[in-house]
Amino acid sequence: MAILLADPRVASVPLRENHEPLVTLGRSFGTARARVRAGLAGRLRRAQSALPVGTSLRVVEGHRSAVDQASIIAAYSARVRTAYPDASPAELALLTSRFVAPLEVAPHVAGAAVDLTLAGPHGEQLDLGTPIDATPEESAGGCFFDAPDIDPPARARRDLLARVLSEVGLVNYPTEWWHWSYGDRYWALMTGAKAALYGPVVDLDAPRARTWPWTTRNADERRAGLRRAG
């Protein structure tokens, strides 16, 4: 069974923040101009260069504010609660984390993750089986990277995406074929790294990324951090 982001093993990974800045991805990655940590940006450029001629990476999201992350968690957890009315709080947290990470370990909030797909020679998004951000409920599980009922061309594109991103050190979140990360706690757990490199970013424009030491034990400090991040 896949390890989900709400698994306690993810939160237990130590963080050794390296304070790399957020940088803006170039137009070759699409019009979103997403911001990610510098180390991730370099790896994405290497992956881009490994794709066949006429195919490119199309990044639709990188860094996400803590406020936006909390909003997505609230909205999706409400939908999950409706779909699974008998779920315990722990089960609800796990089910929710199939689609959106808990704030404390969220790769997007750390600038460590991208949501991306493949584009064709004219910039058109290619079919990888489901739209980006299709929930498990909407896609009947088709959003999972290894979903069995994906047609062969879409499966081949997912495999191509996985090959070029894995070769530069990124890891996939298996319930979302489009979500890949580097340097966050989930990445560290899945690769066996001793610590994560990137924690939640507070000051987006600092030369060295300023982060907030999020914990589940200090709600007042977390709320203060949310106000600063917003």
Side-chain angles (χ1 to χ4, degrees):
M1 181 177 177
I3 296 175
L4 298 177
L5 278 156
D7 190 303
R9 288 174 289 181
V10 180
S12 70
V13 172
L15 170 64
R16 296 176 186 166
E17 174 62 55
N18 72 1
H19 299 286
E20 280 183 6
L22 290 173
V23 298
T24 302
L25 294 175
R27 294 193 182 279
S28 64
F29 291 99
T31 59
R33 305 304 302 277
R35 300 180 77 179
V36 299
R37 296 291 190 122
L40 174 55
R43 284 165 173 77
L44 290 171
R45 287 191 290 269
R46 286 161 50 197
Q48 180 94 289
S49 68
L51 286 168
V53 174
T55 305
S56 61
L57 297 176
R58 175 62 50 85
V59 176
V60 301
E61 188 173 15
H63 177 266
R64 180 186 298 154
S65 76
V67 170
D68 286 345
Q69 185 77 12
S71 177
I72 297 169
I73 292 169
Y76 184 61
S77 64
R79 294 171 61 182
V80 172
R81 191 178 299 110
T82 299
Y84 302 93
D86 297 326
S88 68
E91 290 169 336
L92 180 64
L94 278 174
L95 288 167
T96 299
S97 75
R98 297 171 305 165
F99 182 69
V100 57
L103 195 54
E104 296 83 2
V105 298
H108 281 290
V109 178
V114 284
D115 292 342
L116 79 174
T117 186
L118 294 173
H122 304 293
E124 72 280 11
Q125 288 194 22
L126 301 178
D127 178 19
L128 273 75
T130 74
I132 287 181
D133 283 343
T135 68
E137 292 77 22
E138 291 167 343
S139 66
C143 59
F144 292 15
F145 185 89
D146 288 329
D149 297 325
I150 303 302
D151 66 46
R155 169 60 58 200
R157 294 184 189 110
R158 289 191 186 190
D159 290 343
L160 173 61
L161 187 68
R163 178 175 62 79
V164 298
L165 294 175
S166 298
E167 286 178 352
V168 297
L170 275 66
V171 299
N172 172 243
Y173 190 49
T175 59
E176 298 178 329
W177 61 259
W178 57 84
H179 178 104
W180 291 78
S181 69
Y182 171 82
D184 60 296
R185 283 185 164 96
Y186 191 83
W187 164 86
L189 180 64
M190 300 310 295
T191 62
K194 293 181 179 179
L197 306 176
Y198 308 139
V201 176
V202 174
D203 187 343
L204 302 188
D205 297 311
R208 284 163 53 85
R210 293 176 57 195
T211 61
W212 182 251
W214 307 85
T215 70
T216 56
R217 292 177 292 181
N218 196 327
D220 290 339
E221 287 186 356
R222 185 193 300 177
R223 283 192 289 271
L226 281 173
R227 288 193 291 272
R228 282 194 289 274

